[in-house]
Amino acid sequence: FKQILIDGGVGDSVTTLFAHASLSPLVLGWLIAVVLRIALGSATVASLTAAGLVLPLMQSAGVNPALMVLSIGAGSLAASHVNDAGFWMFKEYFDLSVKETLATWTVLETLISIVGLIGVLLLSLVV
């Protein structure tokens, strides 16, 4: 999926679209990973795809690669829901309903994602 998007020019389009935007590339990488995570359910696929899409932007903006990895990784954790295997494992292990799992697991994963982004942005001020 990642390669199809890259070969189709989506990465270059993202670079062109956000080249002069005031949005931090780290926030953009996080947002792309979040959207992919919600759409696909897999944190692994979301992070690999987001990395491929923001690579041209990251290179042109001179962003620290380690910080981008952390930002995308944090974004890939957000909004775990019914198309994520971890969601169902948590639900079954704790014998919760889907509603209870959404209220606990999904909220927890999203908070971890947001705190991760904040940590990356703070690190970017120091590094």
Side-chain angles (χ1 to χ4, degrees), residues 63-76:
V63 175
N64 183 326
L67 292 177
M68 185 58 82
V69 167
L70 292 171
S71 177
I72 289 172
S76 73

Side-chain angles (χ1 to χ4, degrees), residues 64-115:
N64 183 326
L67 292 177
M68 185 58 82
V69 167
L70 292 171
S71 177
I72 289 172
S76 73
L77 295 176
S80 173
H81 58 91
V82 297
N83 61 352
D84 176 27
F87 177 91
W88 294 105
M89 288 173 45
F90 184 85
K91 176 195 173 303
E92 293 301 317
Y93 185 78
F94 289 103
D95 195 28
L96 301 172
S97 69
V98 171
K99 182 178 179 180
E100 291 170 326
T101 309
L102 286 168
T104 55
W105 178 253
T106 303
V107 171
L108 172 68
E109 289 286 288
T110 303
L111 286 173
I112 291 169
S113 177
I114 292 167
V115 169

Side-chain angles (χ1 to χ4, degrees), residues 2 5-7 9-19 25 28 32 48-63 68 72:
K2 170 193 76 81
L5 292 175
I6 292 168
D7 290 346
V10 175
D12 295 331
S13 296
V14 168
T15 301
T16 304
L17 185 62
F18 290 99
L28 178 63
I32 291 171
L48 289 173
T49 305
L53 292 176
V54 299
L55 180 62
L57 176 64
M58 184 186 79
Q59 292 171 335
S60 67
V63 175
M68 185 58 82
I72 289 172

Side-chain angles (χ1 to χ4, degrees), residues 18-29 31 57:
F18 290 99
H20 302 291
S22 61
L23 186 64
S24 165
L26 295 171
V27 174
L28 178 63
L31 282 172
L57 176 64

